[in-house]
Amino acid sequence: MDKEIQKTCVIIGAGISGIAAAIRMQNKGYAVSVFEANAFAGGKLSTESNKGYRFDMGPSVFTMPEFVDELFILSNKNPRDYFNYNALDLVYRYFFEDGELIDAYHGKERYAEEMALKTKDKKEEIIHYLNKTSEMYDLTAEVFLHNSLHKFKNYFTKAIAKGLLNFGKIGAFNTMNGANEKAFKDKKLVQILNRYSTYNGSSPYLAPATLNVISHVEIEKGAYYPVGGMFSITSSLINLAKDIGVQFNFSTPVREILIENKKAKGIRTDKEIKYFDVVISNMDVYNTYQKLLPQAKKPIKTLNQPKSSSGIIFYWGIKNNFKELGLHNILFSENYREEFDTIFSKKAIYDDPTIYLNITSKHTPADAPEGCENWFSFINVPNNSGQDWDKLVNEAREKMIKKINRMLKTDIRPMIECEMVFDPRVIEGRTSSAFGAIYGNSSNNKFAAFMRHPNFSKKISNLYFCGGSVHPGPSIPLCLLSAKITTGLIK
Ligand SMILES: Cc1cc2nc3c(=O)[nH]c(=O)nc-3n(C[C@H](O)[C@H](O)[C@H](O)COP(=O)(O)OP(=O)(O)OC[C@H]3O[C@@H](n4cnc5c(N)ncnc54)[C@H](O)[C@@H]3O)c2cc1C
């Protein structure tokens, strides 16, 4: 009998979704090769060290760890041999300008209790809201997270039809802020819940109320911290991929996807041309078309959807211990509406930006020298439309230091031992994310989910896409689901 020839698959990019797609395709029996432009894996989910401090450069909030575990189980490995994580009890510390500090705990009861204690709203009302978002999650997950939105046959499955028939119930006709203001009297609670729009780089005053499900994921399903930090998600999946036979080519940018008779045939790098049966791009879809498919007809409407916000991040080594800070801390601005308006309408940085401080040394002391802390200090900013970023970064540093000093009643300036900075230009340079937008398209209208690029090309066969810029969208869990949907479409 003839030996069956093993099919081959190339993945362009070793972002978290590219690595997950590689593991899934190898498990399907393909011989998989990954080509990554950087010398390191993980794309946004990467790590750097500076003067004894270690930083996770991108994601810091980890939800739905089961989607990571699933990849080990699929490969007949015990996840715990590669990757471990712990549930967080105290998830966020929210600081307000009037001196109020509100803690957000894991679990409906505990969360509602603390919120009711610190705000004008009642525990029962908060529980009722959380029950509603939980119901909304159950109605929407199959439609928006687990299946391709772009395969006609999917609309006839029971779960998806149920979600679509309940379009009103899933908040499609209101904004996040509209629904939150309707539910609660207290401005602080509304602000805390509105903040979840930033998880996909959108404005709560424009994004559909459906996105309030994000709070359900974090508050009820829980937030976790990987042992060894966020980068251990990347490193453990790379170890798994290598163990099952995936081939990695680092420092090897792909320059072109080869097309013949409307069929993807392989890739061109600076060194060689290589042919494959299946091509999956984990590169941002906008730049995949612009840079790797210059001759192809582009889905202009999809590619030209408004992009998400970006960020300026200062990775500061801080020579001090702040007892009042936890792993995740938010120092809120007083006027959230104006802050989002500045980002999305004026494409500028707000004067008093909300600051997110992530300090992994609170959980992994080895991430900072003794008596010190590693601060990932983040503000939301517009994506890159040609602003003077050198000037904006300098201004942002001053605004942030001023706000931190005021709110924490300290002076951090002499405590900053070292600094690295990311701005939208750096984010694009490091990951090829169009305009440095962190989350692909924004979700600032109710049809945004339908306007994300599908996980496959409608015009070129054997060409597929996965990652935060395509369906179902950004974040670690969604990128892992993106890889699952994409590879599920391949026979
Ligand atoms: C600052 C920040 C904070 C975030 N916070 C969170 C959070 O708290 N929780 C969360 O869940 N998510 C968060 N996210 C979002 C999350 O990180 C992303 O959605 C996710 O990591 C994107 O993964 P991806 O697979 O789409 O690929 P990316 O990470 O975008 O990586 C794409 C990879 O493709 C490579 N590549 C591109 N072009 C080529 C080419 N031509 N040839 C070869 N290789 C190429 C790039 O070098 C890169 O390695 C955050 C992101 C950032 C930047």
Side-chain angles (χ1 to χ4, degrees):
M1 201 165 72
D2 283 350
K3 198 167 166 252
E4 204 177 307
I5 297 169
Q6 192 180 22
K7 292 211 168 193
T8 57
C9 169
V10 62
I11 314 267
I12 303 167
I16 198 66
S17 194
I19 303 168
I23 292 167
R24 288 185 177 277
M25 289 303 282
Q26 190 79 23
N27 274 300
K28 269 176 177 275
Y30 284 76
V32 180
S33 302
V34 180
F35 287 79
E36 166 55 54
N38 292 324
F40 56 87
K44 297 183 180 79
L45 189 38
S46 57
T47 185
E48 298 283 346
S49 293
N50 192 10
K51 299 194 172 147
Y53 295 86
R54 189 199 71 84
F55 297 92
D56 286 311
M57 304 311 276
S60 51
V61 179
F62 181 39
T63 54
M64 298 177 150
E66 62 271 22
F67 296 135
V68 178
D69 284 353
E70 198 174 278
L71 292 163
F72 295 99
I73 295 162
L74 178 76
S75 312
N76 292 318
K77 306 279 187 193
N78 179 354
R80 299 294 78 81
D81 290 343
Y82 289 81
F83 175 61
N84 282 285
Y85 51 87
N86 296 306
L88 297 176
D89 177 37
L90 170 61
V91 181
Y92 267 98
R93 306 212 85 186
Y94 293 112
F95 295 80
F96 293 86
E97 284 281 356
D98 63 2
E100 184 80 87
L101 167 62
I102 304 184
D103 284 331
Y105 290 98
H106 174 203
K108 203 161 34 188
E109 283 289 321
R110 194 88 197 282
Y111 181 90
E113 231 159 62
E114 166 79 1
M115 292 295 156
L117 197 69
K118 299 279 177 72
T119 70
K120 295 189 199 101
D121 291 287
K122 293 197 178 73
K123 184 177 168 192
E124 309 82 72
E125 291 161 345
I126 300 164
I127 299 253
H128 176 73
Y129 173 91
L130 294 174
N131 286 341
K132 285 268 167 217
T133 55
S134 161
E135 194 188 329
M136 205 151 74
Y137 178 85
D138 291 340
L139 280 172
T140 51
E142 281 301 314
V143 185
F144 293 111
L145 304 186
H146 291 282
N147 291 284
S148 171
L149 266 182
H150 306 91
K151 288 283 178 192
F152 191 57
K153 68 175 170 50
N154 285 348
Y155 288 82
F156 296 98
T157 61
K158 208 168 145 198
I160 293 189
K162 194 170 157 207
L164 291 172
L165 287 171
N166 283 290
F167 217 60
K169 252 192 185 170
I170 65 175
F173 301 111
N174 201 353
T175 61
M176 291 177 81
N177 175 67
N180 292 335
E181 275 192 342
K182 201 168 153 201
F184 299 115
K185 292 190 279 294
D186 196 286
K187 282 199 170 73
K188 286 179 183 144
L189 181 53
V190 170
Q191 188 168 19
I192 287 172
L193 293 166
N194 279 352
R195 194 186 65 86
Y196 289 101
S197 71
T198 62
Y199 282 29
N200 70 6
S202 306
S203 161
Y205 305 95
L206 299 169
T210 318
L211 290 181
N212 283 327
V213 296
I214 302 173
S215 62
H216 160 74
V217 171
E218 187 177 284
I219 297 163
E220 289 197 61
K221 287 182 177 286
Y224 299 80
Y225 182 70
V227 173
M230 295 298 284
F231 185 67
S232 69
I233 303 173
T234 298
S235 56
S236 64
L237 288 178
I238 288 283
N239 288 342
L240 169 66
K242 285 182 176 167
D243 283 355
I244 62 170
V246 174
Q247 300 292 315
F248 285 92
N249 305 271
F250 289 102
S251 306
T252 316
V254 170
R255 301 296 184 197
E256 188 183 353
I257 296 174
L258 307 173
I259 309 293
E260 262 173 50
N261 300 326
K262 297 188 179 167
K263 207 171 187 178
K265 288 284 186 184
I267 53 146
R268 179 174 62 77
T269 68
D270 291 334
K271 283 189 285 200
E272 59 186 344
I273 281 179
K274 287 205 84 162
Y275 293 96
F276 294 92
D277 295 303
V278 171
V279 177
I280 301 179
S281 178
N282 174 221
M283 182 187 192
D284 178 285
V285 69
Y286 181 94
N287 277 331
T288 301
Y289 278 100
Q290 296 299 345
K291 297 186 177 167
L292 308 190
L293 292 164
Q295 316 297 340
K297 192 166 168 1
K298 298 178 179 52
I300 301 289
K301 202 167 165 207
T302 307
L303 297 185
N304 287 349
Q305 289 300 303
K307 298 287 169 278
S308 78
S309 56
S310 186
I312 289 181
I313 311 139
F314 293 100
Y315 306 88
W316 283 326
I318 297 278
K319 260 194 297 181
N320 195 30
N321 263 320
F322 284 83
K323 298 266 176 300
E324 64 273 50
L325 297 175
L327 175 65
H328 303 294
N329 312 275
I330 297 288
L331 277 57
F332 270 125
S333 68
E334 280 198 296
N335 193 336
Y336 224 23
R337 190 183 280 274
E338 213 171 289
E339 181 173 0
F340 282 99
D341 189 51
T342 308
I343 296 169
F344 288 101
S345 306
K346 302 191 182 115
K347 305 212 175 294
I349 299 181
Y350 188 49
D351 260 344
D352 176 39
T354 296
I355 301 173
Y356 166 54
L357 293 180
N358 172 245
I359 310 171
T360 65
S361 58
K362 297 279 182 194
H363 280 247
T364 311
D367 282 352
E370 210 180 323
C372 305
E373 291 178 345
N374 62 339
W375 283 22
F376 166 109
S377 324
F378 176 99
I379 58 167
N380 292 299
V381 305
N383 59 53
N384 184 12
S385 52
Q387 298 92 327
D388 181 350
W389 287 107
D390 289 337
K391 181 167 167 271
L392 290 180
V393 164
N394 283 330
E395 287 173 4
R397 185 188 294 102
E398 291 310 307
K399 288 174 185 175
M400 289 168 75
I401 291 176
K402 206 167 119 195
K403 186 175 176 74
I404 292 166
N405 287 351
R406 184 175 67 241
M407 292 186 75
L408 299 184
K409 298 186 178 52
T410 183
D411 181 9
I412 61 160
R413 211 179 285 273
M415 300 173 194
I416 301 176
E417 202 175 14
C418 58
E419 177 184 285
M420 292 183 284
V421 191
F422 271 17
D423 64 37
R425 297 167 307 181
V426 182
I427 293 170
E428 174 154 25
R430 220 173 132 100
T431 62
S432 266
S433 303
F435 311 104
I438 291 179
Y439 312 91
N441 291 349
S442 80
S443 292
N444 283 341
N445 72 70
K446 58 175 166 285
F447 300 110
F450 297 92
M451 293 307 294
R452 280 190 184 275
H453 195 285
N455 303 84
F456 57 95
S457 164
K458 289 183 180 168
K459 304 265 184 231
I460 303 165
S461 61
N462 294 350
L463 176 60
Y464 296 85
F465 304 90
C466 67
S469 68
V470 298
H471 179 70
S475 79
I476 296 164
L478 296 203
C479 284
L480 296 175
L481 288 175
S482 180
K484 189 174 182 179
I485 295 170
T486 302
T487 54
L489 296 171
I490 301 166
K491 293 281 177 297

